[in-house]
Amino acid sequence: MTLPRPVYYFSNRMGRIILLAMEEILGQGEANDVIHHAGLPQYVNQYRICDQDLKFPFEHLSRLQAGLVDVYGPRAGRGLALRVGRASLKYVLQDFGRDLGLTEPAFRFLPFPARLQSGIETLAGLFNRFTDQRVSLEMDGKQIRWQVERCPLCWERKTDDPCCSLAVGLLQETLFWVSGGRYFLIEERNCIACGDSQCTIIIDRIPLS
Ligand SMILES: [Zn+2]
């Protein structure tokens, strides 16, 4: 007897953020092509549901990521996923920025190292609170390790290289924003789709520029 597969979800509101960012980067027509390719026609022009119900399955998020690679090829598909991740931050701030305190002066006037740490912790908390994705952080003076033990982006995918580019893009943009326009080295080192036990993204605390 096989046990039923666990089903995990994003909130509708969090899923909608990804779809809005995808539409922004690809344009509506091409975003709809990817949505069709992923076999999810229910989302074509129908993703305005903005509640906190946990009803947006991990599997749908991962099919959208795979759809980008299928439609545009591995290299361009991952580049686009990265850009979708970067574009997502604006919608995260619109929807959650105030609740999370990210747009409050108390946050904005923190000294930079504290702002970086607080921004990343707040983002991890957003996933832990509004989705079934679980993020844990490990930090030392040089790096932050963003660790995801169940990841919607690579859910049930198998790839040769780490494939959660959307998360890398979201972290890039978050750091760009909290630092007032600086770039950081951010790299996905481990990925469940490659057989690792968790997805791990390494963030260098020292900016590149
Ligand atoms: Zn992943």
Side-chain angles (χ1 to χ4, degrees):
M1 191 180 99
T2 50
L3 290 168
R5 290 184 307 159
V7 182
Y8 296 116
Y9 296 93
F10 258 34
S11 66
N12 283 326
R13 200 173 191 186
M14 292 284 282
R16 173 177 172 270
I17 284 173
I18 308 284
L19 288 164
L20 287 172
M22 215 170 91
E23 182 181 288
E24 178 185 318
I25 296 300
L26 301 178
Q28 196 174 48
E30 295 203 22
N32 286 345
D33 287 348
V34 172
I35 289 168
H36 276 298
H37 192 88
L40 301 167
Q42 66 270 38
Y43 293 126
V44 173
N45 305 328
Q46 283 296 332
Y47 43 85
R48 307 298 172 200
I49 305 173
C50 192
D51 58 37
Q52 298 293 15
D53 293 353
L54 288 171
K55 288 191 177 160
F56 200 107
F58 274 23
E59 191 200 339
H60 290 185
L61 284 162
S62 108
R63 270 156 64 181
L64 290 169
Q65 305 311 299
L68 284 169
V69 170
D70 290 346
V71 171
Y72 297 99
R75 213 183 147 83
R78 283 183 194 186
L80 286 167
L82 194 85
R83 289 177 57 200
V84 171
R86 297 195 69 154
S88 300
L89 180 70
K90 171 170 76 249
Y91 301 106
V92 168
L93 293 174
Q94 253 170 38
D95 276 7
F96 296 99
R98 222 168 140 189
D99 286 349
L100 297 175
L102 289 173
T103 50
E104 301 298 313
F107 173 76
R108 286 188 288 128
F109 295 126
L110 283 173
F112 172 65
R115 202 163 67 240
L116 181 144
Q117 180 149 340
S118 170
I120 295 287
E121 284 171 349
T122 303
L123 192 66
L126 177 78
F127 288 104
N128 291 333
R129 206 167 128 201
F130 295 112
T131 78
D132 289 328
Q133 176 177 333
R134 288 293 163 267
V135 182
S136 62
L137 298 172
E138 267 181 25
M139 306 196 192
D140 61 28
K142 288 190 177 156
Q143 293 182 327
I144 299 173
R145 295 168 67 88
W146 173 277
Q147 303 169 145
V148 183
E149 68 181 72
R150 45 182 197 244
C151 175
L153 299 174
C154 62
W155 188 251
E156 297 189 331
R157 290 175 72 191
K158 295 244 177 305
T159 56
D160 293 332
D161 303 306
C163 64
C164 306
S165 312
L166 190 147
V168 174
L170 176 62
L171 288 166
Q172 278 181 351
E173 191 67 13
T174 302
L175 265 72
F176 186 79
W177 180 72
V178 298
S179 67
R182 306 179 85 173
Y183 291 93
F184 296 76
L185 197 61
I186 302 179
E187 183 194 9
E188 189 178 20
R189 193 75 53 84
N190 303 104
C191 181
I192 298 165
C194 302
D196 295 314
S197 60
Q198 58 185 10
C199 298
T200 306
I201 296 172
I202 311 285
I203 301 162
D204 266 3
R205 282 174 182 261
I206 311 296
L208 292 167
S209 57

